[in-house]
Amino acid sequence: MAGKDSWTAVRAKGWAVMSRWGVEIPPRGAFLYVLDPDTHGEPPSAHERDDMVQDIARAHVGYLLAGMGFSEMASQLLAEHVAGGNRPLEGAFLGSDGEDSATYLGVPVGPLGVLPFPLGQAQTLAQAMPNSIRFVGVDADVIRRALAGQRLDARARRSDGPVQIGGDGLLYAPIDRVAPRSLAI
């Protein structure tokens, strides 16, 4: 636990792992795997439980960043060093929401995963491949809060046709719905 000098056994129950994404080939939806073991130790206090939830939330943000190629920031949030290159930070916002919308740190993605080029180039490519390139990003405020060790709370989910914003601040949108924006984290 964060801030403790020694480890103590804490009873944990009801671990679950969920895939956010399904796949088309072979057809498979998102899945949920649950393990409900009996463990030894004292039940965690409300404070310890909240600390665990926050640690998991920060790790979740770290793994999202690692998957997008932001290894340096991901390593700051995870217990292990994340190997790999480090993409340049590139911000975007939902063009339809106007200038006051959130800024997202993200990457363009295609049918085979993360694309290795910047947003502007992906938008040009999307004109030749309509409906096949998306933008995936995390709200920059969520990243800043995670890096600063501040509390991360679930947000209301938002769905506007092909634009999805999760409770964790993850944006998934058609590439033509986002516009570049400067970003500092």
Side-chain angles (χ1 to χ4, degrees):
M1 305 289 308
K4 289 202 174 190
D5 293 331
S6 62
W7 287 92
T8 57
V10 176
R11 184 179 304 146
K13 202 158 175 56
W15 292 94
V17 176
M18 184 177 128
S19 155
R20 178 184 274 276
W21 308 105
V23 295
E24 289 184 36
I25 301 172
R28 179 177 179 163
F31 66 91
L32 178 65
Y33 174 78
V34 178
L35 180 62
D36 199 9
D38 284 325
T39 60
H40 300 289
E42 296 296 316
S45 68
H47 178 70
E48 289 172 323
R49 190 173 8 264
D50 189 55
D51 284 349
M52 286 189 279
V53 167
Q54 291 302 307
D55 287 343
I56 291 168
R58 282 188 280 281
H60 173 69
V61 173
Y63 286 117
L64 289 173
L65 292 170
M68 290 187 276
F70 301 110
S71 303
E72 186 176 308
M73 274 192 291
S75 294
Q76 293 176 48
L77 294 170
L78 301 171
E80 73 272 3
H81 172 73
V82 177
N86 206 31
R87 288 181 74 106
L89 300 184
E90 187 172 30
F93 71 102
L94 283 170
S96 60
D97 282 355
E99 290 295 323
D100 293 333
S101 71
T103 300
Y104 296 88
L105 171 64
V107 295
V109 296
L112 300 176
V114 174
L115 299 175
F117 32 81
L119 181 59
Q121 196 174 349
Q123 288 173 321
T124 301
L125 178 62
Q127 293 172 358
M129 300 172 56
N131 302 318
S132 63
I133 299 180
R134 303 275 187 257
F135 178 83
V136 175
V138 178
D139 187 324
D141 184 56
V142 170
I143 298 168
R144 283 186 207 99
R145 293 180 66 78
L147 290 169
Q150 296 175 342
R151 183 169 183 80
L152 299 176
D153 292 311
R155 301 163 172 215
R157 293 174 184 250
R158 182 174 147 198
S159 178
D160 178 20
V163 175
Q164 306 289 318
I165 303 175
D168 54 1
L170 183 71
L171 168 68
Y172 180 74
I175 197 88
D176 62 351
R177 294 282 299 268
V178 298
R181 176 182 276 167
S182 62
L183 172 75
I185 293 186

